[in-house]
Amino acid sequence: MNNFINNFYKNQALFYKVFLFIVTAVLIVYLLPKGGKFKYEITKGKPWQYENLYAPFNFAILKTDAEIIKEREQIIANNIPYYKFNESIVNQVKAEAPQQIKLIFADSILVGKQKVISNYVESTLNELYEYGVLQEERGTKYDKLVYIKKGNEAYEVNYGKIFPQDEILPYLTKTITQNNLNAFKPELLEIFYNIIKPNITYDESLTQKELDSKLNAISYTRGSIERGTIIVSKGEIVEGEKLDILNSLKKEYESQVWSDSSYNWILLGYSLLVCLALLMLLLFIRKNRRDIYDNNVKVSFIFFNILLMVFLTTVVVNFEAKYVYIVPLCILPLTLKAFFDSRLGLFAHVITVLILGFIVPNSYEYMFLQIIAGIVTILTVSELYKRANLFISVGQITFIYILVYFAFTVIQEGNILDLNSEMFLTFILGGLATLFVQPLIYIYEKIFGLVSDMSLLELSDTNSKLLKELSEKAPGTFHHSLNVANLAEAAANEIGANAMLARVGALYHDIGKMENPTYFSENQTSSVNSHDELSPRESAEIIIDHVIKGIEIAKKNNLPDRVIDFIRTHHGTTTVYFFFMKEKELNENVSPESFKYPGPIPFSKETAILMMCDSVEAASKSLKEPTTTKINDFVEKIIDKQMDEAQFLNANITFKEIQLIKKILKQKLKNIFHLRVEYPE
């Protein structure tokens, strides 16, 4: 039992990675489609590359989206609207007519003309209300059929037979003239003005109900294919009816309800593929980025980002697949490049795109486009902390999306008339969403304790609280740190290392000297040397302690681990040689171990650069009457000594890069020590 517990503690990092791997794989498989995957790639306008394809089962031919939209538009255009006919209003109007005649006309007139006037009013009302009077025009064509509903019955009439209210006056004027009643025109018009009321109203609810019923009755299929029927022959061009049948077969195949046995096999297949993809990523990290592999937080961060992209894509595809490009997938390589490096960012991006190929429609087109966009992201984005660079890169990414989509459309359709302008808007929205990477990086820094170049830019500000304190307590050390920072930045740029990280590490590498500043020569302003009263061993302990105290101060001020690494390693396991030799004069048998820095030795190019620059800058103060030869020999001697002591074994730095760093340091020192030509007085 004890052995098991001991093994568990020894291998807990490995157990955690296994647990993380399994959880991520399970969640991704859960998000994947639950149906089968059609095994053929359908490419419009291209020859069928596979063997003759026969229908594996009976299935219906689905109508295309364009056909369904056209059919819906036709139904909407041909839909007959319903109007309600109010019989009670007609009866009321006809009942009021005799009273209005008696009220408007004088008795003397009615004696001879009452019958004529009454007959005219009655016949006119019958004509007006035969199909009804409409209060307001609906813009319907006059020759269009409409339904007029009387009670529980409805009958078709021509819309032009219904009287709109604004057409009644011209009609009355015309009929009065035709009946030779112009002498009574004002009175007759007044009668009709008083009694006529609209009795036809548009029945919106019934019309919409009828329209919905017709739309719901639309058939999404046209014909069917029997099992065993040949669908497409090898070499046959995939277009027209063949393309529609193949797409119908694909949708039917992927939407089938599988038996428990088949479903389990499909689940197993998905699990194997997802696990294989994640395993490749994990092996890549283990082989090429061992420092990341050994850090469980960083591995968790990478897996979390992949899972997030799969989740967002699944949500969008389930909502509406045509908006899949709104998901800013290029955030993944951007984020990983900001925290780690380009190769890891691109590798993780490719793995994620391969997984998403199971989710999205037109998987080949999607994967090609996203991989190209990811490569462009990695190649174009540099110095993410500069806001202009991000906007430029987002513009380039959006342009690549549009360009690749244009190319695929031209290949598939053979023209540019079928370009979907909505897709361009989708790409632009996806590009704008990519700008969210900056606040996202800030959130990740707080959650996962990582550091990006944007944070390094903030830390490089010499007006920060900690650097101001260093300049006040140890001004000589502060000036030394600035000089080392300039040297380290130049050297890092020369070999393609992270110049910002090297600069920030150099600025903070000696903050431990704030505790006892006068024990370091650069801060001594008088001839009094604090070490004169101490033994060589005590002096060495104070010198060595500035590394430990620097780490403590850095942690107290919440400096990132990437910066603290520079404090730990800037002296590696070298010896405090001056005090060791003084002690050796007193005791020849003294061991050098007690005069060595605790280490560790540098484990990155940037920390190795700092060790070289720190040693060269500090020792350069001892140069008297420097010349080009002296400076060259001086730099060679110091760095060669560090190499002889195996200080760069873990730094993944090459001899060629070390030679380039030497070259830069020599140039910089020559500039620092350059003497003016003396002119005669």
Side-chain angles (χ1 to χ4, degrees), residues 317-328:
V317 169
N318 289 339
F319 173 71
E320 183 58 68
K322 65 181 180 180
Y323 297 136
V324 68
Y325 290 106
I326 288 181
V327 179

Side-chain angles (χ1 to χ4, degrees), residues 463-482:
N463 289 317
S464 65
K465 178 183 175 183
L466 191 55
L467 291 180
K468 278 187 116 178
E469 186 180 354
L470 177 64
S471 67
E472 291 169 2
K473 292 184 177 180
T477 299
F478 178 72
H479 184 260
H480 160 72
S481 297
L482 285 176

Side-chain angles (χ1 to χ4, degrees), residues 520-534:
F520 300 91
S521 59
E522 66 266 25
N523 299 311
Q524 294 171 358
T525 56
S526 65
S527 58
V528 178
N529 190 336
S530 302
H531 290 284
D532 291 342
E533 299 176 0
L534 302 175

Side-chain angles (χ1 to χ4, degrees), residues 213-254:
S213 175
K214 292 178 181 177
L215 291 175
N216 292 333
I218 291 177
S219 173
Y220 288 84
T221 64
R222 48 176 176 81
S224 61
I225 300 294
E226 297 293 326
R227 179 179 180 179
T229 304
I230 187 167
I231 297 175
V232 62
S233 303
K234 185 175 182 179
E236 194 173 354
I237 301 298
V238 178
E239 59 184 359
E241 185 74 9
K242 296 289 182 185
L243 179 64
D244 294 342
I245 294 173
L246 283 169
N247 285 328
S248 301
L249 175 60
K250 180 180 179 180
K251 288 183 180 180
E252 181 67 24
Y253 185 85
E254 292 180 349

Side-chain angles (χ1 to χ4, degrees), residues 94 116-130 171 175 179 181 192:
K94 289 182 178 180
V116 174
I117 293 171
S118 297
N119 288 339
Y120 170 74
V121 171
E122 183 180 351
S123 63
T124 301
L125 288 177
N126 287 335
E127 288 184 22
L128 287 173
Y129 284 106
E130 182 180 1
Y171 172 76
T175 55
N179 287 277
L181 295 173
F192 286 111

